[in-house]
Amino acid sequence: MSTLASPKTGARRRPFSGPFNWRRAIALTLLALAVAVSILPFYWVLRTALSTNGSLAANSANLLPADFNLGAFKRVFGLQSASEAIAEGGSGASINFWQYLWNSLLFSGITTACAVFFSSMAAYAFSRLRWKGRDAVFSLFLATMLVPPIFTALPNFLLIKNLGLLNSMLGLVLPYLFMTPFAIFFMRQFFLNMSREVEEAAMLDGAKHWRIFFQIVMPNAAAPIATLALLTFMGQWNEYFWPLLVGTSEESRVLTVGLGVFKSQSPQGAPDWSGLMAATLVSATPVLILFAIFGKRIVNSIGFNGTK
Amino acid sequence: MTTLTKHSGQAARSPRPKAGKGEKQSLARRFGDLKIALFFIAPAMIGLILFYLVPTIRGIYLSFTEYSILGDPEWIGARNYERIAKDPLFWNALGVTSEYVVINIVLQTALALGLALLMQRVAKSTLVRGALLMPYLMANVIAALLWFWMLDYQIGIINQIIEWTGLPRVAFFGSEQWAIPTQALINTWRHMGYTALLIFAGLQAIPHSVYEAASIDGSKAASTFWRITLPLLRPVLVLVLVVTVIGSFQVFDTVAVTTAGGPVNATRVLQFYIYQRAFNEQDFGYGSALAVILFLILAIVAFIQMKFLRGNQSDLD
């Protein structure tokens, strides 16, 4: 982590001085190419979303939007009449985009808040408290990381079905509510390195563990909690398999699943490309916004789980 | 993976209130903060039991039954597994998945290693790292749709470019030969930056003094890479490989959204096959047995990788 945050460049880096360095130039070109491959597709999505389907075919290689217009976005937001939509290459069937967006927000928001909180509680017990069997129980939690999601998804689906919670928000969020093994592991690492002094002083003043947890440990761990919440939220926002199984009604469908439905609604085999790309872009927007605001924090969190 | 348990040694020295004498104190010494700890892990414990442990046992049980959701599960012994052994679709799925895993791993690891070295040498900026990470933050579904459009046979931009260079158009999703490599390429695009960052973090952890010593000894760049960088990177590379292989075996989203198993069975990967059996055909017993097989494969792969590559030992120590 620390190595990521403070790259020591300065001294050895003189981009515009000295003799021209071929190897450096080639390296920079390759890196620029990789960056381009990573981000240019997003421009192509935007360009397509701002085009009309009719013009796309004729101008398929034009770098600018073909016949610039906002019809595709209107279609996604349900602001276009069915006849207009069909004229522009849409299916004319309405998509409850706002409903899906709301569902995605609920699904990701609720699971993130609960899982991060409960996982922090467990991490506290695994790091700051001393009790018999602690390491064994912690290993059990870690071991669940090895179970492939699809393996538990089948019985979990049956459980949710038996509880009568299919196609409900509760059914969607339930398996994620209580913890994720990764979150426990993540928070535990920070709690282990926290100084004990304030905590001990509070102990002497007679504070109980839950007060120490809420008033000392949690506030001091605000930064890692924020990072974890961010990562969890994005992960949940992008989740597809479980919502595909459990949330298939209009009332419980999230955006990722909705996108799949939108794609399959194409009339006579010719997909509504501009509509599809507009929907894709809008679905990715929350993550893009989070990335724009917290980019550095997200980037610096990579490398945590592996190397330190 | 040793890092996971590394810190358990420095166990929390929990300051217990100086309680009374005799029995009360010895009890406290024996159980420590057990009572309060139970309170703190209670929610996580409920989650663990309800959604991990019980489902694991139930999944194994169901794999020995015939179960179509409507009735009750009926115990049929190992018959599902016998069926799997003779199921051409299963062997096809296994083959297709393996092909996907191999292409994905080779491409992704090689590209990521190259990118990490480039970052190390010429640009460590957060901006570059952020740009490379962007695809990883997108949903699989979004990556799939984005490339489904860019790789479209008729009007996709990639086929336009291919045509300009004078080569024939490629039916990326439509041909049996290309369907799996295409899926692998999409996921490589999505993960390469993330993997590169993991390796980059590993590179940063190699002390500079090692390189200085090598250059004093007259080591050339190439041999420094093969003899120093790569061996010292091994723990990180093993971790990356384990995570990527396990992740690739579970490919589903991109396939489900783009080709849905086709053309013919060319992209019917294991997880998609399990999904079809269990949910489309309501054959839960058979689906569970297939899931057990997938579980076993992943466990074996992880075990072999850790064993052979000695992932938990670092040459730095």
Side-chain angles (χ1 to χ4, degrees):
Chain A
M1 285 283 279
S2 56
T3 43
L4 268 184
S6 58
K8 293 185 199 77
T9 38
R12 283 180 297 135
R13 226 173 132 189
R14 288 161 302 168
F16 299 113
S17 61
F20 186 73
N21 187 337
W22 275 106
R23 294 173 69 169
R24 196 181 150 75
I26 293 170
L28 270 175
T29 312
L30 286 176
L31 198 57
L33 198 69
V35 169
V37 169
S38 293
I39 58 176
L40 280 185
F42 295 101
Y43 170 72
W44 204 246
V45 169
L46 177 69
R47 176 260 179 198
T48 309
L50 293 171
S51 307
T52 51
N53 282 312
S55 317
L56 272 180
N59 305 286
S60 56
N62 196 334
L63 291 182
L64 291 174
D67 190 10
F68 179 91
N69 90 8
L70 295 172
F73 286 99
K74 285 187 189 152
R75 204 145 61 243
V76 171
F77 291 128
L79 299 172
Q80 213 175 36
S81 70
S83 55
E84 269 180 307
I86 291 166
E88 288 188 9
S91 70
S94 70
I95 7 149
N96 283 328
F97 178 81
W98 295 107
Q99 173 85 51
Y100 301 165
L101 183 75
W102 174 240
N103 290 342
S104 270
L105 274 173
L106 269 186
F107 173 66
S108 315
I110 296 173
T111 51
T112 301
C114 292
V116 168
F117 179 68
F118 291 142
S119 300
S120 302
M121 275 175 67
Y124 178 78
F126 286 127
S127 58
R128 314 296 284 186
L129 299 175
R130 202 152 59 155
W131 43 286
K132 229 183 158 194
R134 185 185 68 176
D135 291 350
V137 176
F138 181 62
S139 311
L140 193 63
F141 273 89
L142 280 188
T144 56
M145 282 207 221
L146 300 175
V147 184
I150 188 168
F151 187 74
T152 42
L154 268 58
N156 279 342
F157 172 82
L158 293 174
L159 176 69
I160 295 299
K161 185 177 180 291
N162 293 342
L163 291 173
L165 294 175
L166 282 188
N167 294 321
S168 75
M169 189 45 70
L170 187 60
L172 268 182
V173 300
L174 214 47
Y176 299 98
L177 276 192
F178 300 98
M179 61 117 189
T180 68
F182 172 73
I184 293 179
F185 169 63
F186 185 94
M187 290 314 298
R188 180 176 169 271
Q189 290 297 91
F190 284 95
F191 289 161
L192 279 176
N193 296 325
M194 230 176 201
S195 137
R196 301 200 72 86
E197 279 152 26
V198 190
E199 202 180 330
E200 277 167 13
M203 277 278 185
L204 289 177
D205 287 348
K208 290 271 189 293
H209 276 292
W210 61 267
R211 260 194 71 189
I212 291 174
F213 178 69
F214 280 111
Q215 297 188 344
I216 298 171
V217 174
M218 288 296 266
N220 272 313
I225 287 173
T227 306
L228 178 64
L230 204 60
L231 296 176
T232 313
F233 186 88
M234 291 208 229
Q236 291 296 94
W237 189 268
N238 293 340
E239 187 64 44
Y240 180 67
F241 191 63
W242 181 251
L244 176 72
L245 300 183
V246 174
T248 46
S249 72
E250 288 289 303
E251 295 74 38
S252 61
R253 190 176 279 146
V254 300
L255 272 176
T256 44
V257 181
L259 275 179
V261 174
F262 191 99
K263 188 217 148 203
S264 58
Q265 274 179 350
S266 52
Q268 294 98 43
D272 171 9
W273 287 120
S274 53
L276 193 56
M277 288 304 114
T280 306
L281 200 61
V282 176
S283 306
T285 303
V287 174
L288 292 172
I289 292 173
L290 285 177
F291 194 44
I293 302 174
F294 301 109
K296 202 160 186 167
R297 173 166 279 177
I298 296 169
V299 170
N300 286 339
S301 72
I302 311 298
F304 166 83
N305 34 11
T307 50
K308 276 268 158 123
Chain B
M1 292 308 253
T2 42
T3 45
L4 302 194
T5 47
K6 207 176 193 171
H7 295 277
S8 52
Q10 54 184 84
R13 282 166 289 115
S14 173
R16 256 161 274 117
K18 308 241 175 339
K21 330 132 193 157
E23 195 164 315
K24 207 172 175 187
Q25 205 175 7
S26 75
L27 261 182
R29 197 167 285 155
R30 265 178 55 207
F31 291 104
D33 307 312
L34 183 63
K35 230 165 106 184
I36 190 81
L38 283 180
F39 164 76
F40 273 100
I41 62 163
M45 210 62 192
I46 294 172
L48 180 81
I49 293 170
L50 274 186
F51 297 105
Y52 288 90
L53 294 186
V54 171
T56 301
I57 296 163
R58 196 175 177 195
I60 295 170
Y61 163 71
L62 285 176
S63 76
F64 292 103
T65 65
E66 194 174 315
Y67 185 28
S68 65
I69 289 197
L70 297 170
D72 287 322
E74 187 192 331
W75 184 268
I76 55 165
R79 245 188 292 157
N80 281 327
Y81 292 96
E82 287 163 25
R83 226 177 109 196
I84 288 176
K86 289 181 225 146
D87 180 356
L89 281 178
F90 162 75
W91 293 106
N92 172 68
L94 189 62
V96 167
T97 311
S98 308
E99 185 191 346
Y100 170 87
V101 171
V102 170
I103 300 177
N104 197 32
I105 298 306
V106 172
L107 263 182
Q108 194 173 303
T109 315
L111 283 173
L113 186 60
L115 272 178
L117 287 168
L118 285 178
M119 272 192 274
Q120 168 95 344
R121 299 276 160 80
V122 293
K124 303 183 187 192
S125 85
T126 313
L127 210 64
V128 170
R129 280 184 271 161
L132 291 174
L133 193 63
M134 213 157 108
Y136 179 72
L137 300 174
M138 295 300 122
N140 278 319
V141 174
I142 286 178
L145 289 176
L146 179 163
W147 284 100
F148 194 60
W149 158 232
M150 302 225 317
L151 295 173
D152 182 69
Y153 186 78
Q154 294 294 339
I155 53 175
I157 180 71
I158 302 293
N159 264 317
Q160 294 291 329
I161 296 172
I162 291 176
E163 202 175 50
W164 282 337
T165 62
L167 296 166
R169 286 169 180 262
V170 180
F172 286 99
F173 293 99
S175 72
E176 283 182 55
Q177 172 198 1
W178 272 99
I180 275 292
T182 304
Q183 301 283 355
L185 277 169
I186 294 175
N187 279 290
T188 301
W189 173 78
R190 186 168 173 265
H191 285 99
M192 120 193 128
Y194 174 76
T195 313
L197 284 187
L198 282 181
I199 299 176
F200 175 72
L203 280 176
Q204 300 284 84
I206 299 176
H208 206 69
S209 55
V210 182
Y211 289 115
E212 273 161 16
S215 89
I216 289 169
D217 290 346
S219 169
K220 293 224 166 60
S223 82
T224 306
F225 172 76
W226 289 109
R227 296 186 178 193
I228 294 176
T229 310
L230 217 48
L232 288 182
L233 263 184
R234 202 192 55 219
V236 178
L237 285 177
V238 171
L239 181 103
V240 164
L241 277 175
V242 172
V243 171
T244 339
V245 172
I246 289 178
S248 325
F249 261 105
Q250 299 176 68
V251 56
F252 176 82
D253 302 2
T254 35
V255 170
V257 175
T258 55
T259 52
V264 197
N265 296 320
T267 59
R268 200 194 297 269
V269 290
L270 265 176
Q271 181 143 335
F272 193 73
Y273 186 47
I274 297 173
Y275 168 78
Q276 284 188 315
R277 284 291 190 182
F279 295 98
N280 292 356
E281 296 166 26
Q282 310 274 305
D283 198 347
F284 250 77
Y286 195 63
S288 299
L290 287 167
V292 170
I293 299 288
L294 178 60
F295 192 177
L296 286 177
I297 292 173
L298 295 181
I300 293 168
V301 166
F303 178 76
I304 292 175
Q305 282 178 320
M306 296 308 282
K307 198 85 185 165
F308 276 85
L309 302 166
R310 291 176 298 138
N312 46 3
Q313 293 162 26
S314 165
D315 292 337
L316 271 176
D317 297 331

